Each structure stands twice: as structure tokens, then as C-alpha cells.
Amino acid sequence: MPDTPGTSRDTKRMEAFSDAVFAIAITLPIVEIEMPQLHGTPGLGAELARLWPSYLGYLLSFLVIGIYWTHHHFSGKIYARADHGFLLATLVFLMMIAFIAFPTRVLAEHIADAANRPAAARFYVLGLLLTALAWLVKWLSGLWGGSLDERLDPAYVRRLTWQYSVSTGVYVAAALLSLASPLAGLALAAAVTLYYLRRPPDPVYRAGREGPE
Amino acid sequence: MPDTPGTSRDTKRMEAFSDAVFAIAITLPIVEIEMPQLHGTPGLGAELARLWPSYLGYLLSFLVIGIYWTHHHFSGKIYARADHGFLLATLVFLMMIAFIAFPTRVLAEHIADAANRPAAARFYVLGLLLTALAWLVKWLSGLWGGSLDERLDPAYVRRLTWQYSVSTGVYVAAALLSLASPLAGLALAAAVTLYYLRRPPDPVYRAGREGPE
Amino acid sequence: MPDTPGTSRDTKRMEAFSDAVFAIAITLPIVEIEMPQLHGTPGLGAELARLWPSYLGYLLSFLVIGIYWTHHHFSGKIYARADHGFLLATLVFLMMIAFIAFPTRVLAEHIADAANRPAAARFYVLGLLLTALAWLVKWLSGLWGGSLDERLDPAYVRRLTWQYSVSTGVYVAAALLSLASPLAGLALAAAVTLYYLRRPPDPVYRAGREGPE
Amino acid sequence: MPDTPGTSRDTKRMEAFSDAVFAIAITLPIVEIEMPQLHGTPGLGAELARLWPSYLGYLLSFLVIGIYWTHHHFSGKIYARADHGFLLATLVFLMMIAFIAFPTRVLAEHIADAANRPAAARFYVLGLLLTALAWLVKWLSGLWGGSLDERLDPAYVRRLTWQYSVSTGVYVAAALLSLASPLAGLALAAAVTLYYLRRPPDPVYRAGREGPE
């Protein structure tokens, strides 16, 4: 079947759009750090120190969005086209990427507030779960809709499907666990997330097929 | 008539600029979700649940801007150049795209407020109407100003002109209907908008002319 | 003189960076429109109508930044390189582009406030003057630093230098006039600005030299 | 050793992402300038003049982020690839670039507040130090991870390593000095920063090797 003009969308513009959303989502939380209002009374140093949960929130949100970006950046290499379903799934994923800053802030601002820490931890784990789920749906939508580069080795593709499914499963477990023990759920969800700090595996191509570029 | 240097502008930079405005407009609403201020008193879970209209507003605004983006993304393929009038019409359209988040938030924040829901619904329908109108003006400006790729099949172009005009007409009807029954007007406007979730039709080229790429 | 590697910077990345700043500056003012806080008491319709100065500010700021963008977009065609001085002058210009939204909002929010309208008009005219001055400095920096495409017809270049200088002069006159009569100064500054809504003149090349692309 | 597909990442997308973060970080501070709330009582002129620390903060933040951008822009020319470690180091650097606007605002808003100026100056110097440190780490990560273009002259690379290390050392000295004398520490940190306003040195290539493009 030849490539009829317009039946597939090229991935370049979608990548550029995604990267722009990532860049905005990762930068915006800086406006949420509120400046102390002292109006001439001393104590700025103490006030700036007291803001540590806000700095922590900014750092955490940069970390999580940054981790997703390194994997999204990488995955840009393995799509050959972007059909309409994949476009919509990507939009849903980007919606979660921009949203995740909010539960992150909620967690950071209540990390030292014993009364609200459990609810904040549950909300954050739920946010991580929904983001991981959106990532998995995007992956499956690309896989089933034929957007993946067909030169990829099927074993490599199966391994990624497996990995993303297991991760999402662990986030589900973490969310359930957080109902009983918020901090244990948080620790589990944090562990899966940090696992993705390591280098994404290089794409593997079928024997005799060359990779991109 | 040969293409004199500078008489036409290439569309690449305008597309990149539009995509950047889309990316910012779709992401910015996240800063409008206000974090509960509990200062140590318990109740964060209930407060986070009480924020559902804010989450709904974020979701709705992502949905509507996302739908326009998928069509804008697609339409990038059918313009061959961007003359000054088309550039200005695109700016007006982008102004509405960035604005639409405001009526969306107004609607979402008052969806459970019986006293103000009618006004919020009318304002939202008006916002959708103005955005659709700006899209139609942009389309007509591209069509009449000669920015469209001339290899496109005239029947295909007529079909799009017809579709965008009818949609705008339905939004006008929804706005008028919303004066009598805000929720009926809202339902009609929502129906037209959701119609555009489906895949845009592939460009059709004149017989014997090849498409782009 | 051959083009030694690294002695000149290519203009592509600077254009992309400038366009991103333009896109953000033009979109950000939407977050400044404050949503009515009614908490269940009716009157949303009236409150939304009462916000007209905010809508006007958003519109005005989109208009002015948009006008500069169409000219900046155009001027991207006439630079062949970007030396360090031109880079710095462009940054100063972008600083004014992002700043102009503030005096625009000040003007719009006080347009119906007789006591403060004169100060708001003066502040706005000053903002327009500084932006025009930054544009002129950027132009001269490109001209004197050798960033302009040398195939351009010298008469064409002189005409633009003349036009930008005269415009800046008129803004200076408008700022001085606004000290005596704020509204007359505002009208003069608005007139120069709106003049730039028309299509920028196409680049003219020396006889026997071809233009870009 | 041939370039196995996927073992190295191309630098284009990382540059575009970095430039987007720079563009947002440099533009966002404009939303922090708060409009005077006069509600019809006169005095707007005086209120706008009273806002000078906010204007100063915006200017300073544009200056510092702009300086880093000109060097980042330049350094885009000297990387041949981006391995995972370099990607993470770049994210940490971008996190500081977006953060630096906050200490800048803290400094500007307290520059005329004698009681809090010392703390504000220390916080700002600390912010500059962390940003310079993140830049140095990014540089070393690119150098040690093999992301640098290997055609660069080793003497040129050593000179940059030396320069960035010395600058970071001076920022450390400024931070320590600011404990004893905040304004002396601030002056020293400002001096190093302004030093980078000058043109970055052109890349120097090994004899017989051509530069990029």
C-alpha cells in the first residue's frame, strides 16, 4: 500500500509541539513560589528558608517532567508517523504532563504538615498513576495504530510494552497501597519513577534493516 | 507569474509560531488551579475533591484547544504560502485560541452554581462562536488571498468552506438558543465542537497533480 | 573574506528563540484577566461585562505585539548572520516586547478612570516609545555590524533606516505631547503603530543579485 | 567505532527544548509586576514610579538569563551529540535558569529595604553560584561523556574548562564574602556575570580539521 498524501502525518511537528508543552510545563511552576511580603520588617532570611517546601516542589516537578521528557525525546526516534488516534493520545498524555505539577506542589507544600500529608501523598501517587497510564495508552495507540517504525525488532517492541505495562501496574499497586499507608505508597511510586532516570534502551532494529539516519 | 522573492512568505515560521501559541495556551490554565490553603488544619482530601470544577475547566480547555490544534496541524499541509492578510487573520485566530481558556474556566467554575450557570453557559458559547468565526475568517482569508496550495481539488476546497461555514452557523444558532435556554445552547455548541474530534479529511489533489512530499 | 567557522552566528536559532519569546509574550496576558468571585450570589453576566477593560487590554496587547511580530517575521528574511552585538540588541528588543503588555494593561484598566487616565496614557506612550527605540537600535546594530544580507539594494536599506528613525521620532513627539495632552499623545502614538498594520515592503535586491531561496 | 543507531542522541531537539525553556524563563517574570489597585482614586503616576524595583527585577533577570542564553546559543555549535548524562546535566542547568528569576526578584524587591537587603543579596549570590555550578557540571558532563565535537582544538577546550572553573570559584568566593559583606559579595558576583556580556570566543579547530557547516 503506497503512502497516500495526507493519510499519515509526519511526526516532526507533533514532536516540536510536545517539546513546547514540556518546556512550558517544566518552567511554569517557578511562578508558584510566592515572594515573602515583609514591607520593611526584617526577617527575609528566615522567610526564604521557610519556603523550602516550595523549592522542593519546583525541584520534584522538574525531576518528574524531566524524566518523562528524556523518554519522550528518545521515543521520538521510534515513530515513523502519527495517525489521528496517536495524536489524540499524545494530547491526553501532554495534558497529564502539564497537570502533574499541581499534585507535586500539593505534596511539597504539605510534606511537613502531619495532618494533611497522607491526603497529599495519595493525591500525588494518583497523579503519577494517571500520567503513567496516559503514557501507556499513548504507547499502545502508537503500536496498534501503526505509528511505530516497522523496522524495529519485534522483541524490542514487546519488551517496551511489557515494561510500560508493569510500571503502570506498580503505580496502581502504589495507589492502592497509599490508601492503607500513604508513605509506603509514595515510596513505591517514587521508586518506579526514579527507575526511569537511567538511560532508555537503544532502539533495536530487525536484522538487515538500518535504523534512522 | 514567477515567485518574486519576498512577495510571499513561507509558511514554516508561521506554523512554528502558531504551534508555540497553541502550546502555551493549552498549558497555561494549569496555573489557575488554586492550591488549598489549610495552614495545618486537616481536610486536604475534601478540599482537593472540592476543586473538581477547576480540574474540569483544565480538561475542557485542553480538549477544545487540542481539537483546534489537530485541525490546525492538519491544515498546515494545505497552505503553500502566507500573505500579509492571512498572517493577520491567523493572529486574530490565535488571539481567540489563547482567550478561549477564560470562558472555559468561567463555565467550569460556575457549573454547579445554579444562579450563575446560565450566564456562564452563554459566555462560553459566545467564546466558542468567536473562535469558530476567527477560524472561518482565517480559512476564507487563505482561500481568497491565494495562500492555499493550488494543486488541491476545488471540490475538496469547496467542501471545507461549506463545512466551516455550516459549523459557524450552528455556533450562531447555539448562541441565540442560549439566550432562551442556556443549557440547550451549550449542548448544541458542545456537539459541533466534539464533531471535530474525528479525523480531518485527507487533502484531495487534482487529477494528475501530486500532493506535498 | 571567507566565512571562518564560528565568526558569524546563523540566524535560524535566534529567529526561533525570538519567535518563542513573541509567542509567550502575546499569550501570557490572558492569565491577567481575573475571574469574578461570586460564591453563589447571582450577577455573573454583569461582572463579565464589567471586565471589558481587561478584554480590551488583552486585545490591544495582542495587536501591538502581533504588529511587531509581522515585521520581525519579515525582517528574518533580510539578515544573513547575527553577530554578538546584534544578538544583544535583539535581546533588549525582546525584553521590551515582553514588557509592553504591562503598560498596555495599565492603560486598558484605567481607560474609564478619569483621575488616572492621563498617567496611564503617558505610561503607555512611553512603553511604545521604548519598544520602537529598541527596534531601531536592533536595526542599526544589524546594519552597522554587518548582519544584513549584503545583496539588498542600498536604496531599500536606506528607506527602512529612514522609516524606523522617523517613526521613533514621532513616538518621541507623542511622548512629549502626552505631557501636555495625554490623549493627543496617545492618539499620535496609536496612529504610528497602526500604520505598521499594512504589509511590510518586499525586500529589494541589487540588480543582478538574486534574493533568498 | 561506527555510530550505532540510537547510541547517541542528536543535539538539535535538545537545543530546541533548551531554547524554549530559556524563552519561557526570560519572559515569565513580566507576570510578577503587580498592577496598582487604585479603584478611582488618583495617584497612578506615583504608583507606577514606586514600582521601580519590579522593573529593575525584570531587567536584571532578562540580563542574566540573556547572558546565559548567548553562551548556551554559542555552545550549541560545539557539541556533536548528547548522551544521557549530558541530557540530565542540561536539565539541571535549565532548572537553575528558570529558578534564577526568583532570587533576582527577591533582590530587586528588597534593594531599597535596608533591613532585608543583606539577606536578599546573599540569596541572589547563592542563586548565581548554583547556576554557574550547574553550567560547569553541564560542561564537564559534555566533556567527560564525549558529547563535545572531537574536532575542537584541545587547547581551546582546556581554556573553556579553566574559564568556567575559575568563574565558579569566584562565585563561591562571592558567596562566602557575602556572609561578611553582602554588598561586596554582590558586587563581585555581578562583576563575573557582566564579564560574560562580551562575545564568547570562536571555536578553534585542530589543524587540518574543518569546523561545522
Side-chain angles (χ1 to χ4, degrees):
Chain A
M1 197 181 73
D3 204 351
T4 339
T7 50
S8 65
R9 315 261 178 273
D10 68 347
T11 59
K12 286 267 168 61
R13 259 186 89 189
M14 206 184 67
E15 276 179 22
F17 180 75
S18 302
D19 278 4
V21 171
F22 267 97
I24 300 155
I26 213 169
T27 314
L28 268 183
I30 196 65
V31 302
E32 309 284 7
I33 305 185
E34 299 222 356
M35 196 159 62
Q37 299 296 332
L38 291 160
H39 306 293
T41 59
L44 180 64
E47 286 294 302
L48 290 172
R50 211 183 41 78
L51 282 176
W52 68 266
S54 297
Y55 309 143
L56 178 69
Y58 175 68
L59 186 95
L60 260 186
S61 140
F62 219 99
L63 180 71
V64 171
I65 299 178
I67 286 176
Y68 270 103
W69 183 72
T70 60
H71 285 262
H72 183 77
H73 172 73
F74 147 78
S75 73
K77 303 226 156 180
I78 62 183
Y79 293 107
R81 64 197 67 80
D83 83 339
H84 190 61
F86 184 63
L87 219 73
L88 295 182
T90 301
L91 281 172
V92 171
F93 167 66
L94 293 175
M95 186 176 72
M96 281 313 304
I97 282 296
F99 181 73
I100 197 68
F102 180 67
T104 306
R105 241 177 97 215
V106 169
L107 176 67
E109 296 290 345
H110 298 89
I111 202 96
D113 169 356
N116 292 309
R117 199 191 299 127
R122 281 185 202 117
F123 189 60
Y124 182 64
V125 173
L126 184 65
L128 287 180
L129 163 58
L130 291 177
T131 310
L133 197 64
W135 172 272
L136 177 64
V137 166
K138 175 171 89 81
W139 169 258
L140 293 177
S141 146
L143 179 62
W144 294 338
S147 294
L148 274 185
D149 188 337
E150 50 280 288
R151 294 167 307 176
L152 288 168
D153 180 21
Y156 167 79
V157 171
R158 273 196 306 274
R159 198 163 67 237
L160 284 185
T161 305
W162 180 245
Q163 183 185 329
Y164 298 151
S165 306
V166 168
S167 300
T168 308
V170 178
Y171 280 116
V172 171
L176 294 174
L177 180 57
S178 77
L179 298 177
S181 165
L183 292 190
L186 181 61
L188 183 55
V192 206
T193 308
L194 291 176
Y195 171 79
Y196 282 94
L197 259 178
R198 67 190 191 112
R199 190 166 180 279
D202 288 330
V204 179
Y205 295 90
R206 293 168 197 271
R209 307 296 299 259
E210 270 173 51
E213 279 140 88
Chain B
M1 195 182 77
D3 204 352
T4 339
T7 50
S8 65
R9 314 262 177 273
D10 66 348
T11 59
K12 285 268 168 59
R13 259 186 89 189
M14 207 184 66
E15 276 179 22
F17 180 75
S18 302
D19 277 4
V21 171
F22 267 98
I24 301 155
I26 213 169
T27 314
L28 268 184
I30 195 63
V31 301
E32 309 284 7
I33 305 185
E34 298 222 357
M35 198 160 61
Q37 297 297 331
L38 291 160
H39 306 292
T41 58
L44 179 63
E47 285 295 302
L48 290 172
R50 211 183 42 77
L51 282 177
W52 68 266
S54 297
Y55 308 144
L56 177 69
Y58 176 67
L59 186 97
L60 260 185
S61 140
F62 220 98
L63 180 72
V64 171
I65 299 178
I67 285 176
Y68 270 103
W69 183 72
T70 60
H71 285 263
H72 183 77
H73 173 72
F74 147 77
S75 72
K77 303 226 157 181
I78 62 183
Y79 292 106
R81 63 198 67 79
D83 83 339
H84 190 61
F86 184 63
L87 218 73
L88 295 182
T90 301
L91 281 172
V92 171
F93 167 67
L94 293 174
M95 186 176 73
M96 281 313 303
I97 282 296
F99 181 73
I100 197 69
F102 180 66
T104 306
R105 242 178 96 215
V106 168
L107 175 66
E109 297 289 346
H110 298 89
I111 201 97
D113 170 355
N116 293 308
R117 199 191 298 126
R122 280 183 203 119
F123 189 59
Y124 182 63
V125 173
L126 184 66
L128 287 180
L129 162 59
L130 290 177
T131 310
L133 197 64
W135 172 272
L136 178 64
V137 167
K138 175 170 89 82
W139 169 259
L140 294 177
S141 146
L143 179 62
W144 294 337
S147 293
L148 276 184
D149 189 337
E150 51 280 290
R151 293 168 306 176
L152 288 168
D153 180 21
Y156 167 79
V157 171
R158 273 196 306 274
R159 197 163 68 238
L160 283 184
T161 305
W162 180 245
Q163 182 184 329
Y164 298 150
S165 306
V166 168
S167 300
T168 309
V170 178
Y171 280 115
V172 170
L176 294 173
L177 179 57
S178 77
L179 297 177
S181 164
L183 292 190
L186 181 60
L188 182 56
V192 206
T193 308
L194 291 177
Y195 171 80
Y196 282 93
L197 260 180
R198 73 197 181 107
R199 191 166 179 281
D202 289 330
V204 179
Y205 294 90
R206 292 167 196 273
R209 307 296 299 261
E210 271 173 50
E213 280 139 271
Chain C
M1 195 182 75
D3 204 352
T4 337
T7 49
S8 64
R9 315 262 177 272
D10 68 347
T11 59
K12 284 269 167 60
R13 259 186 90 189
M14 206 184 67
E15 276 178 22
F17 180 75
S18 303
D19 277 4
V21 171
F22 266 98
I24 301 155
I26 213 170
T27 314
L28 268 183
I30 195 63
V31 301
E32 309 284 6
I33 305 186
E34 300 223 355
M35 197 159 61
Q37 298 297 330
L38 292 160
H39 307 293
T41 58
L44 180 64
E47 285 295 302
L48 290 171
R50 210 185 41 78
L51 282 176
W52 69 265
S54 296
Y55 308 144
L56 177 70
Y58 176 67
L59 186 96
L60 259 186
S61 140
F62 220 99
L63 180 72
V64 171
I65 300 179
I67 286 176
Y68 269 103
W69 184 72
T70 60
H71 285 261
H72 183 76
H73 173 72
F74 147 77
S75 73
K77 305 226 158 182
I78 62 183
Y79 291 107
R81 63 197 68 79
D83 82 340
H84 190 61
F86 184 63
L87 219 72
L88 295 182
T90 301
L91 281 172
V92 171
F93 167 66
L94 293 174
M95 186 176 73
M96 281 314 302
I97 282 296
F99 181 73
I100 197 69
F102 180 66
T104 306
R105 241 178 98 216
V106 168
L107 175 66
E109 297 290 346
H110 298 89
I111 202 94
D113 169 356
N116 292 309
R117 198 192 296 127
R122 279 183 203 120
F123 189 59
Y124 182 64
V125 172
L126 184 65
L128 287 180
L129 162 58
L130 291 177
T131 310
L133 197 63
W135 172 272
L136 178 63
V137 166
K138 175 170 89 81
W139 169 259
L140 293 178
S141 146
L143 179 62
W144 294 338
S147 292
L148 275 185
D149 188 337
E150 51 280 290
R151 293 167 307 176
L152 289 168
D153 180 20
Y156 168 79
V157 171
R158 272 196 306 275
R159 198 164 66 238
L160 283 184
T161 306
W162 179 247
Q163 182 185 328
Y164 299 151
S165 306
V166 168
S167 300
T168 309
V170 178
Y171 281 116
V172 171
L176 294 174
L177 179 57
S178 77
L179 297 177
S181 164
L183 292 190
L186 181 60
L188 182 55
V192 205
T193 309
L194 291 177
Y195 171 81
Y196 282 93
L197 260 180
R198 74 197 180 108
R199 190 166 180 282
D202 289 330
V204 179
Y205 294 90
R206 292 166 196 272
R209 308 295 298 260
E210 271 174 50
E213 279 140 87
Chain D
M1 195 182 73
D3 203 353
T4 339
T7 50
S8 64
R9 315 259 177 276
D10 68 348
T11 58
K12 286 267 168 59
R13 258 186 91 189
M14 206 184 67
E15 276 179 22
F17 180 76
S18 302
D19 278 3
V21 171
F22 266 98
I24 301 155
I26 213 170
T27 314
L28 268 184
I30 195 64
V31 301
E32 309 284 7
I33 306 186
E34 300 221 358
M35 197 159 60
Q37 299 296 333
L38 292 160
H39 307 292
T41 58
L44 180 64
E47 285 295 303
L48 290 172
R50 211 184 40 79
L51 282 176
W52 68 265
S54 296
Y55 309 143
L56 177 69
Y58 175 68
L59 186 96
L60 260 185
S61 141
F62 221 99
L63 180 73
V64 171
I65 299 179
I67 286 176
Y68 270 102
W69 183 73
T70 60
H71 285 263
H72 183 77
H73 173 73
F74 147 78
S75 73
K77 304 227 155 179
I78 62 183
Y79 293 106
R81 63 197 68 78
D83 83 339
H84 190 61
F86 183 63
L87 218 72
L88 295 182
T90 301
L91 281 172
V92 171
F93 167 66
L94 293 175
M95 187 176 71
M96 282 312 305
I97 282 296
F99 182 73
I100 197 70
F102 180 67
T104 307
R105 240 178 98 216
V106 168
L107 175 66
E109 296 290 346
H110 299 89
I111 202 97
D113 169 355
N116 293 309
R117 199 192 297 128
R122 280 183 202 120
F123 189 59
Y124 182 64
V125 173
L126 184 66
L128 287 180
L129 163 58
L130 290 177
T131 309
L133 198 63
W135 172 272
L136 178 63
V137 167
K138 175 171 88 81
W139 169 258
L140 293 177
S141 147
L143 179 62
W144 294 338
S147 293
L148 275 185
D149 189 336
E150 51 281 289
R151 294 168 305 176
L152 288 168
D153 180 21
Y156 168 79
V157 171
R158 272 196 306 275
R159 197 163 66 239
L160 283 184
T161 305
W162 179 247
Q163 181 184 329
Y164 299 151
S165 306
V166 168
S167 299
T168 308
V170 178
Y171 280 116
V172 170
L176 293 173
L177 179 57
S178 77
L179 297 177
S181 165
L183 292 191
L186 181 60
L188 183 55
V192 206
T193 308
L194 291 177
Y195 171 80
Y196 282 93
L197 260 180
R198 72 196 183 107
R199 190 166 179 280
D202 289 330
V204 178
Y205 295 90
R206 292 166 197 274
R209 306 297 297 260
E210 269 174 51
E213 279 140 87

